[in-house]
Amino acid sequence: MSSIVISLKNISKRYVMGDETIFTALSDINLDINKGEYVAIVGQSGSGKSTLMHIIGLLDKPTDGKVMIEGKDISTLDDDATSTLRSEFVGFVFQQFNLLNKLTIKENILLPVEYARRKFDYNPSERADYLMKRFGIFDKKDSFPNKISGGQQQRVAIARALIMNPKLILADEPTGNLDTKTGDEIMELFGELNKEGITILIVTHEHDIAERARRQIKIKDGEVVK
Amino acid sequence: MKYVIDLFKSAITDFGKNKGRTFLTSLGILIGVMSVVLLMAAGAGLKLYISQQFESLGTNLLYVMPGNMFGEGGTGIRAGAGGSIAPIFEEKDIVDLKRIKEAEYVIPYYQKSIKVSFEAIAEYSTLNATSEDVFPSRNFVAEYGTVFSSADNSARNKVAVLGSKIAEKLFSDPSLALSKKIRIDGQSFRVIGVLQSKGGGGFGGPDFDNYIYIPYKTGYIFNTDKKFIEIMVKAKTSEALPLLKEDIKNVLLKRLETDDFSVVESTEILNTIGSIFSILNVVLVAIAAISLVVGGIGILNIMYVTVSERIKEIGVRRALGARRNDILWQFLAEAVVLSVFGGVMGLGISAIVVFLMQSFFPAYISISSILLALGTSSLIGIVFGVFPAKKAADLSPIDAIRYE
Ligand SMILES: Nc1ncnc2c1ncn2[C@@H]1O[C@H](COP(=O)(O)OP(=O)(O)OP(=O)(O)O)[C@@H](O)[C@H]1O
Ligand SMILES: [Mg+2]
C-alpha cells in the first residue's frame, strides 16, 4: 500500500449559506490515488470538482473525513506545516494560469523555491532552464506572462508546478482557456509527464480530455458516481 | 538573510513598476520627514547662531540685571517674587563698579529705537547709550575715525559712533560719514567714527551693525530717568570671575536689596536660552511629527488597497507553498520600502534646502536627525503596514485562490 500517494476517507464539504441552510458540495468521498496514476475528475459545472481538488491540494479543509498523505493523517497539521507540505507535495496548474505578471517567466517558475524550507538535491535554476527548454519556452525566460500566448503561459504554469519535483500534479481545467489545438498540446505534455512517472490528477468537464486519463472519477452533486 | 534581501528586492521592483502611485503614497512621509528634519536643522542652527553671537560679545562677561531672574543653578528663569525688571541702575553704580579691581570694563546699557536722519535720508536704528568700554569689550574697532572716549562722556559731547550698516544706509559710502551732522530723534549729533562690520542680525539676534553708539551721559537727553536696565562687567581674567561676581554684589548691596538684582554669567544666559529653544524645538518637531502620522495613514490606506487588489496573487502564493508569515513579511516589506523611500526623499530634499540656507543661516542636519528620520520612517512603515499585511496573511488560501 505504500504506493498510495493520497487517500481520502469519507470526505464531506458543507457550506452554511446565508439563510442558515446547509449546502453540501461534497459528500462522503472515498478515493485513493496511487503513485504514477493519471486520474481525471469529471463532472458538470458545480458538481464539486474544484472543491475536491482544493482539498486534495491542501488548500481547503474538509468539513468531515480524513485526508491521508502517504499514510499520514494531515488534518492535525497547523497552517505552517500545511503550507510546507503543500509546497513539497503538490504542484498546481490552474485554468487561468495564475502567473504573476510582474515576475518574468523564469522568476514565476522559481517562485515556489522561494517558499521552500528544504535543501535541494538539484539546482532549481538549472531545472527551470531544463523545463523551459523542454516546453519550448526558453527564449521567453525574461519575458513577462502578459507578453506570451495562453499556451505558453500554461507551459510556464506546468513548469512552475514541476520545479519542486512534487509527488502530485493537480490541474484544474488546464485547457479551459485554450483553443483545441493548444489544449491538445498541453494534454500531450501531461501524457508525457505521466509516462515519466509523475502522478497527475486533472479536473475537466470535457469528455475527450478525460478520455486521455487512465482512470476517470465522475462526480455528480458532490458524490462519486463512477 | 537572503530571504530578507529578496523580500526587499521584490518590494522595490514592485514599486518600480508603479512609480506614480509609489511616489504619491510616499509624499506624505516625504513631507513629514522633511518638516521634522528641517525644523531640527533650523533649531540646531539657531542654537549655534545664538552661541556664536554670545561668543562674538567676548568672554568673561558678567551681566548685572534687575530682579532675581536666574536661579542659583543658572538654568531656568525664575519669576522673582516682587523682583522688578524696571531699570534700576544709576550712574553711581557704574562709577562704583568701575572701581572694583577685577573689573576691566563696565558697560551700562540703555537702548532705544530711534529715527536717525542725515539730510533727506531717514532710517530707523537702535541707539545705545553706553560707556567707552563697549568698544574694546566687544572687539568693536573703528573702520573710519575713532570711537568716543571717557572725556566725551564726562563732557556729554554729542558725538555718535555708527555701525557699518546704518552708516552705509545714511551715507552710501561709510567713509563719508565722518564729521557729518546727523539727527537722532531730533537731536543733532556729530559722527566721529564708523565701526567694522560684525555680521549677524536678521534672526532676532542683535544686529550690531545697525546700532548707533553715544556716551551714556550724553544719552541722558533721551534717558531722562538716568537709569540703566543692565550693566555688563568684564573680568580681567576668567579666574577673576567668581571674585568679581562677589565684589559686584557687595558693591550693589550697599544701595540695593538682594532680590533687586542678579549677577549672571553669559554661559548661564546661554544655557537658559538654549533650554528655551530646546523646548520650543521639541514642540515644533512634535507638531511636524503629526504630518508623519498623516503620511503613515496614507501608507495604511494604500496598503489596504494593494492587499485587496492582490487577493488572487496571495492565493497563488499560498498555493505555491507560501506560509502566512511569508505573506505578512511581503506586505510589511512593501510598506517599509514605501515609507523609507519617502523618508530618504524627504531627507534628500531637506539636505538641499539646508545647503541653500547655509549661505545666510548656520542650519545643519545632524547625524542624529538623519538616524531619527530613517528610524521613524521605517517605524511608520512597520506600524501602519502591519494591519494590511496581517489582513493579507489572514486570508484563507481557498478564499484567496477562488477570488475573482
Ligand atoms: N465558499 C463557498 N460557499 C458556498 N458555496 C460554495 C463555496 N465554494 C464553492 N461552493 C459551491 O460548491 C459547489 C461546487 O463548487 P466547485 O467549484 O467545486 O464546482 P466545480 O465542479 O469545480 O464547477 P466548475 O466546473 O464550474 O468549475 C458549487 O455549487 C459552488 O457554488
Ligand atoms: Mg471548478
Side-chain angles (χ1 to χ4, degrees), chain A residues 15 17 23 25 44-51 173 205, chain B residues 399 402:
Chain A
Y15 295 107
M17 307 306 281
F23 176 80
Q44 285 177 345
S45 182
S47 55
K49 306 183 296 293
S50 295
T51 307
E173 310 266 13
H205 60 260
Chain B
D399 291 341
R402 275 196 184 262

Side-chain angles (χ1 to χ4, degrees), chain B residues 35 98 116 122 136 149 169 171 235 247 273 296 298 300-301 314 324 374:
Chain B
S35 34
K98 189 82 185 169
V116 56
S149 63
K169 284 184 191 166
F171 299 97
D247 287 348
I273 293 176
L300 181 77
N301 182 43
I314 294 163
R324 290 194 41 190
L374 296 180

Side-chain angles (χ1 to χ4, degrees), chain B residues 265-320:
Chain B
E265 288 174 40
S266 53
T267 51
E268 294 175 85
I269 298 177
L270 201 58
N271 285 343
T272 306
I273 293 176
S275 58
I276 293 170
F277 269 109
S278 297
I279 294 166
L280 201 68
N281 206 226
V282 166
V283 171
L284 286 175
V285 168
I287 292 169
I290 293 171
S291 60
L292 272 176
V293 174
V294 175
I297 293 168
I299 287 187
L300 181 77
N301 182 43
I302 208 75
M303 286 312 293
Y304 270 125
V305 172
T306 303
V307 169
S308 27
E309 277 176 355
R310 286 157 67 187
I311 291 178
K312 187 80 178 186
E313 174 189 330
I314 294 163
V316 171
R317 288 179 186 267
R318 296 295 317 255
L320 300 180

